[in-house]
């Protein structure tokens, strides 16, 4: 009865993985290392001391490396390429390139303004387009975290007063 119970217990414990996997995971033959890695590739054959035959890697003929890189173009080369005489080829077609001192425009002659070499002294004030008027300037009040108020007056002067004081400009 005990032998049957032992055989039944072994079969029940190996039910999920199979009897061969169960036996190989739990028992080993004498002289074997149960913790040795398993495998049959080339490195495992070398580790186990078996002979291995492999084809050596032989050098190939010829030069596999690319030649030296092309030299960087000089500024003269870039200029010649821009006008199409050396690298672009066909230097006769320069109609699409704007010549030095030439002008470019979108419309006819009526759209052209005389070009001057200096910037305008002032830009026009566009605030009037958005409802701002010159006569209604008032003092700007900016409260500070320490209880004071910074005042920016219409003339551009700045002052700081105690927050409890009413500024003269806001008492109107």
């Amino acid at each position: 009865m005990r032998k049957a119970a032992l055989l039944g217990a072994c079969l029940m414990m190996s039910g999920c993985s199979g009897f061969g996997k169960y036996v190989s995971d739990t028992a080993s033959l004498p002289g074997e290392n149960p913790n040795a890695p398993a495998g049959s590739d080339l490195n495992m054959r070398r580790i186990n001391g078996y002979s291995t035959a492999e084809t050596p890697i032989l050098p190939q003929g010829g030069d596999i490396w690319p030649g030296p890189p092309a030299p960087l173009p000089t500024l003269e080369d870039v200029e010649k390429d821009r006008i199409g005489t050396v690298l672009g080829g066909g230097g006769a077609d320069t109609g699409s390139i704007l010549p030095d001192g030439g002008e470019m425009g979108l419309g006819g002659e009526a759209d052209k303004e005389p070009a001057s070499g200096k910037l305008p002294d002032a830009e026009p004030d566009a605030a009037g387009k958005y409802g701002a008027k010159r006569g209604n300037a008032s003092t700007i009040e900016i409260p500070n975290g320490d209880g004071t108020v910074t005042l920016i007056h219409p003339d551009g002067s700045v002052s700081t007063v105690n927050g409890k004081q009413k500024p003269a400009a806001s008492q109107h």
Side-chain angles (χ1 to χ4, degrees):
M1 181 71 175
R2 287 185 182 180
K3 292 181 183 179
L6 180 63
L7 181 62
C10 288
L11 290 175
M12 283 189 343
M13 285 191 275
S14 67
C16 293
S17 63
F19 187 71
K21 173 126 175 68
Y22 173 74
V23 171
S24 67
D25 287 345
T26 57
S28 63
L29 297 173
E32 286 187 5
N33 183 358
N35 297 322
S40 61
D41 61 348
L42 183 63
N43 284 340
M44 289 302 295
R45 291 183 55 82
R46 288 180 181 152
I47 291 170
N48 291 329
Y50 300 125
S51 64
T52 58
E54 60 185 87
T55 307
I57 299 175
L58 300 174
Q60 294 181 354
D63 189 8
I64 62 168
W65 298 105
L72 293 174
T74 63
L75 291 177
E76 182 182 10
D77 296 336
V78 173
E79 180 66 21
K80 287 179 182 176
D81 184 39
R82 185 180 73 84
I83 60 175
T85 57
V86 174
L87 298 175
D93 183 24
T94 59
S96 63
I97 298 174
L98 186 64
D100 291 340
E103 295 181 11
M104 184 183 297
L106 295 176
E109 294 294 323
D111 292 340
K112 287 188 178 180
E113 295 181 10
S116 64
K118 71 177 218 172
L119 294 173
D121 292 332
E123 289 293 321
D125 187 12
K129 294 180 188 177
Y130 303 105
K133 296 183 178 97
R134 286 250 178 219
N136 64 356
S138 62
T139 303
I140 300 172
E141 300 176 14
I142 303 172
N144 299 324
D146 59 353
T148 60
V149 176
T150 301
L151 303 174
I152 302 175
H153 301 285
D155 62 352
S157 62
V158 179
S159 62
T160 303
V161 296
N162 190 352
K164 295 180 182 170
Q165 295 177 348
K166 283 289 193 180
S170 65
Q171 290 180 356
H172 299 35

